Amino acid sequence: MMRMGDVGRKVRFGVIGLGKRGMWHLSELVQMKDVEIAAVCDPWPDRVDQAVRIVEDACGFRPDAATDDREVTGRNDIEGVFIFSNWESHIRIALDAIRSGIRPALEVGGANSVEECWELVRTSEISGVPVMLLENCCYCREEMTLLNMIRHGVFGELVHVQGGYQHDLRDEIGNGDVTRHYRQRHFLHRNAELYPTHELGPIARYLSINRGNRMVSLVSVASKAAGLHAWFTEHRADSALAGAPVHEGDIVNTIITCANGETILLTHDCTLPRPYSRGGRIQGTRGIWMEDTRTIYLDGISPADPSYWDHRWESDEKYMAEYKHPLWKEYEEYGLRGGHGGADYLVIRAYIESVQNQTQPPIDVYDTAAWMSVTALSEHSIAMGGLNVPVPDFTGGRWITDRKKAEGMYSLD
Amino acid sequence: MMRMGDVGRKVRFGVIGLGKRGMWHLSELVQMKDVEIAAVCDPWPDRVDQAVRIVEDACGFRPDAATDDREVTGRNDIEGVFIFSNWESHIRIALDAIRSGIRPALEVGGANSVEECWELVRTSEISGVPVMLLENCCYCREEMTLLNMIRHGVFGELVHVQGGYQHDLRDEIGNGDVTRHYRQRHFLHRNAELYPTHELGPIARYLSINRGNRMVSLVSVASKAAGLHAWFTEHRADSALAGAPVHEGDIVNTIITCANGETILLTHDCTLPRPYSRGGRIQGTRGIWMEDTRTIYLDGISPADPSYWDHRWESDEKYMAEYKHPLWKEYEEYGLRGGHGGADYLVIRAYIESVQNQTQPPIDVYDTAAWMSVTALSEHSIAMGGLNVPVPDFTGGRWITDRKKAEGMYSLD
């Protein structure tokens, strides 16, 4: 088994989507000795030029440049492609890649429809080309520690888990150029749990979703959309945004029910003032953990009086240290690198090493489809006035039987 | 207008329900010079005997003793009756009282059915006898301060509010005598938002429910019921409870949509280990407050960098001091008394003074019906697999027009 920092077989990749996030990833990729960036692509030539320079400066050669993503996914000399483009194109580009035998890695985002999630699954199954979703939060230190705690039974039988994408994006949305901003148009035109995977990805692993459990239904309810309008009126009075109708409710709560009876609460909260939080909460028959307070309460361990009126929270600090995930122990010895507290590096390496070693990626096509589909399903639920809608079983029943666990050091199983 | 501590016209009351909560209230009532307890009632004679002694010791006379509540609600010499009995009897006893021209005050609990809420409203309307729900949390210092902040526009336009009854009751439920324990049988037999009003009462006032706004629909989703079974197995292995089926899901989340587009999230969380919290959260276009962290963030006031990536929470302490409610300022000068941080006294006095002065109580029959109905409606929603169900307009359209505001110092308007 490879150790962190080992240089593997050199693999050629394409990179599609060179906005802020794509450029950030590219700057990390060019530093990896076993990665060769064969082509870079974005509809905007200024971005492509900049990306070519980044690769040339770091690696000493000019990658091919494209403004049409099909020029990259149509190649026969690359093994993988990174898809960092706008949300609505992730699955379409991934499908093009799979059909060329290229393994796609998708940056996160929600699906446009449930149908495209099915198409992703079917096309991957028929071709045998694996897909990976680059959900960095699955590799965050805190989330991996919690996964480890859950595997050790610290919380007993899990009953309820919640999380959110709670990030005041008013300034970012309000400053974005309509034609070049991947988020803005979704907030103006859709009403859905637009961005579920940062919290749902880790939660799905806590609850063994697609590995003995699955999401069976969900209901979403959206509040009114008041935040962006108020902000545009105050801060962008001279722009077209000031009068733009906003469809996305400020707070979208989604409750998912799982086959084993657990519930998941997701909160999308991006257009009202607030500090950032993913609002994590884990509850089982033996304890509870809360992200916002960084506290834990464990039955029979944390302080309580016998009448159960005086349970007291503990700081989660010592538990976080005690249950640090083995991958993170190794990572800290090796040295953290890259963005988002080091998690970006881990998820990117998990994908690269699955390509190098021709193994199944730890976040596979069934996870990708199930997690991304929540956006489209929540859109249905809201449109139908808060109807509880079924979540498809993208595994075709394989969630019940023991699916083959992901191999390698980056396995989340 | 009366000032706090003023002794008003002496009024005769009955007291029905002498469990732990009823006895607690009785001990406070007998200290009030303008209150005469004419009768005490409970199905259990041992409790009645104890209550008679409490009144006799404090007031120097023996109240009438009854084991059938109809002996109290059938009297023609009392003006009001306190209903502290088990949850399922509150509305039935209130109806008996109204029909005798006696003003009932109901301790909190959820409704058995939507129909009985309608019956309460219609009977009160036809007879002209007002009803009050004794929701003490509406009078808590924190909730009244927040109400005052909202009225001053601190949070801008309200968009989303949440709260919960999050209280580990496993020991209380597990220790209770089945025949005498008002909570236990509800957890064994029902699956619903059993106890919504502690958080919903204050939230309803924040959102002007029944006064220009109303709840239009709700959806409830329950997790599996694992907590009580695990606890009974470990702690009550020799009792019948160890094998008892439990219907109440450990976590019941309910999302309510209001006519003006706000959403309310309620969480019932009573059978898993955790410290107590009502989990309050208030969000508007200008700010957010969170109970669990005791923090606030206000747009343009709290610290933030211009990129909106570094909003920082502030302690809510100074805002809580600045916006203290006028009633609480007066109360602190007068001196706090009674249970639950002084809130019990306020809600009881609010009722008593509405009887003395023949005025509308601040929490009226429409509030009582709407808040209590959430239990029955959530039960429907869960039973139908997470169906979004309509919330009746118990006001018959009066919520749109300007309803007469409650008079007196205890008004929550």
Side-chain angles (χ1 to χ4, degrees):
Chain A
M1 192 162 113
M2 291 177 74
R3 297 273 304 167
M4 198 163 291
D6 287 354
V7 177
R9 178 174 71 83
K10 190 154 195 170
V11 176
R12 287 163 65 83
F13 292 94
V15 175
I16 294 171
L18 300 165
K20 197 165 149 192
R21 182 70 176 146
M23 221 64 96
W24 185 329
H25 277 309
L26 184 67
S27 305
E28 299 291 326
L29 288 168
V30 294
Q31 295 171 40
M32 298 179 189
K33 295 194 185 350
D34 48 6
V35 168
E36 183 177 330
I37 303 300
V40 292
C41 171
D42 194 278
W44 299 93
D46 56 320
R47 292 176 173 175
V48 179
D49 291 346
Q50 190 190 338
V52 167
R53 279 196 303 277
I54 287 172
V55 178
E56 196 170 18
D57 289 351
C59 309
F61 68 90
R62 289 178 69 85
D64 290 339
T67 53
D68 179 347
D69 52 78
R70 289 181 175 82
E71 289 177 38
V72 179
T73 53
R75 295 173 73 110
N76 59 12
D77 66 341
I78 58 175
E79 289 185 62
V81 63
F82 291 94
I83 303 169
F84 303 138
S85 55
N86 59 59
W87 291 346
E88 56 267 39
S89 65
H90 289 181
I91 291 183
R92 178 188 63 72
I93 295 172
L95 286 165
D96 288 340
I98 296 168
R99 290 179 182 124
S100 295
I102 299 166
R103 289 177 173 229
L106 291 73
E107 244 304 350
V108 299
N112 302 292
S113 70
V114 177
E115 167 57 25
E116 70 176 7
C117 299
W118 273 117
E119 195 182 3
L120 187 70
V121 167
R122 292 301 187 223
T123 308
S124 172
E125 286 178 338
I126 290 167
S127 66
V129 178
V131 169
M132 179 163 168
L133 185 74
L134 298 174
E135 184 38 82
N136 56 355
C137 291
C138 289
Y139 287 94
C140 284
R141 176 167 29 198
E142 187 162 274
E143 279 81 348
M144 291 201 82
T145 304
L146 292 163
L147 178 66
N148 201 33
M149 289 172 73
I150 289 163
R151 296 282 185 263
H152 280 87
V154 169
F155 298 103
E157 179 183 349
L158 285 198
V159 173
H160 177 75
V161 188
Q162 63 190 56
Y165 186 64
Q166 304 181 130
H167 186 185
D168 179 356
L169 294 170
R170 295 173 301 163
D171 184 73
E172 189 190 310
I173 294 168
N175 282 325
D177 172 333
V178 178
T179 52
R180 296 174 74 152
H181 194 291
Y182 68 104
R183 285 193 208 266
Q184 188 187 79
R185 54 184 174 266
H186 288 261
F187 282 84
L188 296 182
H189 295 288
R190 304 181 77 180
N191 194 5
E193 171 41 90
L194 287 177
Y195 205 58
T197 69
H198 278 338
E199 67 274 19
L200 180 56
I203 289 171
R205 305 315 285 251
Y206 303 160
L207 293 173
S208 301
I209 298 297
N210 292 341
R211 290 153 186 82
N213 199 3
R214 80 173 191 89
M215 301 184 281
V216 289
S217 67
L218 70 77
V219 57
S220 289
V221 179
S223 77
K224 65 176 144 189
L228 276 181
H229 178 72
W231 196 90
F232 290 161
T233 304
E234 190 173 338
H235 297 274
R236 297 290 176 270
D238 298 331
S239 84
L241 286 171
V246 176
H247 293 174
E248 177 72 5
D250 292 318
I251 306 290
V252 175
N253 277 302
T254 300
I255 310 174
I256 301 171
T257 301
C258 300
N260 294 341
E262 307 90 345
T263 46
I264 302 170
L265 173 65
L266 307 180
T267 304
H268 187 270
D269 173 4
C270 298
T271 48
L272 295 174
R274 64 160 301 133
Y276 182 93
S277 169
R278 290 203 294 279
R281 170 165 161 171
I282 297 171
Q283 290 187 261
T285 53
R286 301 209 69 86
I288 178 172
W289 171 83
M290 296 249 302
E291 177 178 340
D292 283 326
T293 48
R294 304 279 159 187
T295 54
I296 193 167
Y297 176 85
L298 298 176
D299 220 10
I301 295 169
S302 302
D305 80 2
S307 75
Y308 278 73
W309 266 97
D310 192 27
H311 301 33
R312 283 192 293 279
W313 290 109
E314 293 183 86
S315 162
D316 67 6
E317 203 175 326
K318 74 175 178 192
Y319 299 94
M320 286 294 181
E322 183 180 347
Y323 287 97
K324 190 182 288 177
H325 194 281
L327 178 66
W328 267 87
K329 287 183 187 163
E330 185 175 337
Y331 191 22
E332 289 179 349
E333 279 170 29
Y334 173 59
L336 270 53
R337 55 207 69 204
H340 290 108
D344 286 352
Y345 176 83
L346 293 180
V347 73
I348 291 281
R349 289 305 302 181
Y351 164 67
I352 290 170
E353 296 184 19
S354 76
V355 179
Q356 289 173 329
N357 303 324
Q358 301 287 304
T359 53
Q360 283 296 320
I363 302 171
D364 67 12
V365 72
Y366 302 115
D367 300 322
T368 304
W371 304 355
M372 290 183 75
S373 76
V374 166
T375 295
L377 292 164
S378 75
E379 196 166 28
H380 297 179
S381 179
I382 292 167
M384 309 284 277
L387 190 71
N388 205 333
V389 297
V391 179
D393 172 15
F394 292 105
T395 73
R398 291 180 190 86
W399 68 273
I400 304 175
T401 55
D402 227 323
R403 286 215 292 130
K404 200 180 164 192
K405 294 193 174 186
E407 299 167 64
M409 63 190 298
Y410 295 102
S411 163
L412 294 165
D413 292 325
Chain B
M1 194 162 110
M2 291 178 76
R3 298 273 305 166
M4 198 164 291
D6 287 353
V7 177
R9 178 173 71 84
K10 191 155 196 169
V11 175
R12 286 164 64 84
F13 292 94
V15 175
I16 294 171
L18 300 164
K20 197 165 149 192
R21 182 70 176 146
M23 221 64 97
W24 187 328
H25 277 309
L26 184 66
S27 305
E28 300 291 328
L29 288 168
V30 294
Q31 295 172 40
M32 298 177 188
K33 296 193 184 355
D34 48 6
V35 168
E36 183 176 331
I37 303 298
V40 292
C41 172
D42 193 277
W44 299 93
D46 56 320
R47 291 176 174 177
V48 178
D49 290 346
Q50 191 190 338
V52 167
R53 280 196 303 277
I54 287 172
V55 178
E56 196 171 18
D57 288 352
C59 309
F61 69 89
R62 289 178 68 87
D64 290 339
T67 53
D68 179 347
D69 52 79
R70 289 181 175 83
E71 289 177 38
V72 179
T73 52
R75 296 172 73 112
N76 59 12
D77 64 343
I78 58 175
E79 290 185 61
V81 64
F82 291 94
I83 303 170
F84 303 139
S85 56
N86 59 59
W87 292 345
E88 55 268 38
S89 65
H90 289 182
I91 290 182
R92 179 189 62 73
I93 296 172
L95 286 165
D96 288 341
I98 295 169
R99 290 178 182 125
S100 295
I102 299 167
R103 289 177 173 231
L106 291 73
E107 244 303 348
V108 298
N112 302 292
S113 70
V114 177
E115 167 56 27
E116 70 176 7
C117 299
W118 274 118
E119 195 182 3
L120 188 69
V121 167
R122 293 300 186 223
T123 309
S124 172
E125 286 178 339
I126 291 166
S127 65
V129 177
V131 170
M132 178 163 168
L133 186 74
L134 298 174
E135 183 40 81
N136 56 354
C137 292
C138 289
Y139 288 94
C140 284
R141 176 167 28 198
E142 186 161 274
E143 279 81 347
M144 290 201 82
T145 305
L146 292 163
L147 178 66
N148 202 33
M149 290 173 71
I150 289 164
R151 295 283 185 263
H152 280 87
V154 169
F155 298 103
E157 179 182 350
L158 285 199
V159 173
H160 176 76
V161 188
Q162 63 190 55
Y165 187 64
Q166 304 182 130
H167 186 185
D168 181 355
L169 294 170
R170 295 173 301 164
D171 185 72
E172 189 189 310
I173 294 168
N175 281 327
D177 172 334
V178 179
T179 53
R180 295 174 75 152
H181 195 291
Y182 67 105
R183 285 193 209 266
Q184 188 186 79
R185 53 184 174 265
H186 288 262
F187 281 85
L188 297 182
H189 295 288
R190 304 180 76 181
N191 193 6
E193 169 44 87
L194 287 177
Y195 205 60
T197 69
H198 279 338
E199 67 272 20
L200 180 57
I203 290 171
R205 303 317 283 252
Y206 303 160
L207 293 173
S208 301
I209 297 297
N210 292 341
R211 291 155 186 82
N213 199 2
R214 80 174 191 89
M215 302 184 281
V216 289
S217 67
L218 71 77
V219 57
S220 288
V221 179
S223 77
K224 65 176 143 190
L228 276 181
H229 178 73
W231 195 89
F232 290 161
T233 304
E234 191 173 337
H235 297 273
R236 297 290 174 270
D238 297 331
S239 85
L241 286 171
V246 177
H247 293 174
E248 176 72 6
D250 292 317
I251 306 289
V252 176
N253 276 303
T254 300
I255 311 174
I256 301 171
T257 301
C258 301
N260 293 340
E262 307 89 345
T263 46
I264 302 169
L265 173 65
L266 306 180
T267 303
H268 187 269
D269 172 5
C270 298
T271 48
L272 295 174
R274 63 161 301 133
Y276 181 91
S277 170
R278 290 202 293 278
R281 170 165 160 171
I282 297 172
Q283 290 187 261
T285 53
R286 302 209 68 87
I288 178 172
W289 171 82
M290 297 249 301
E291 177 177 341
D292 284 326
T293 48
R294 303 280 158 187
T295 53
I296 194 167
Y297 177 84
L298 297 176
D299 220 11
I301 295 169
S302 302
D305 79 3
S307 76
Y308 278 73
W309 265 97
D310 191 27
H311 302 33
R312 282 192 292 282
W313 290 109
E314 292 184 88
S315 162
D316 67 6
E317 205 175 327
K318 74 175 177 190
Y319 299 95
M320 287 294 181
E322 183 181 347
Y323 288 95
K324 189 182 289 178
H325 194 282
L327 179 66
W328 267 88
K329 286 184 187 163
E330 183 174 341
Y331 192 20
E332 289 179 350
E333 279 170 30
Y334 173 59
L336 270 52
R337 54 207 68 203
H340 291 109
D344 286 354
Y345 176 82
L346 293 181
V347 74
I348 291 282
R349 289 305 303 181
Y351 164 68
I352 290 170
E353 296 186 18
S354 75
V355 178
Q356 287 174 328
N357 303 325
Q358 301 287 303
T359 53
Q360 283 296 320
I363 302 170
D364 68 10
V365 72
Y366 301 115
D367 299 323
T368 304
W371 305 355
M372 290 183 75
S373 77
V374 166
T375 295
L377 292 164
S378 76
E379 196 166 30
H380 297 179
S381 179
I382 291 167
M384 309 284 278
L387 190 71
N388 205 333
V389 298
V391 179
D393 172 15
F394 291 105
T395 73
R398 292 181 189 86
W399 67 274
I400 304 175
T401 54
D402 229 322
R403 286 215 293 129
K404 200 178 166 196
K405 295 195 173 185
E407 299 167 65
M409 64 190 297
Y410 295 102
S411 163
L412 294 164
D413 293 324

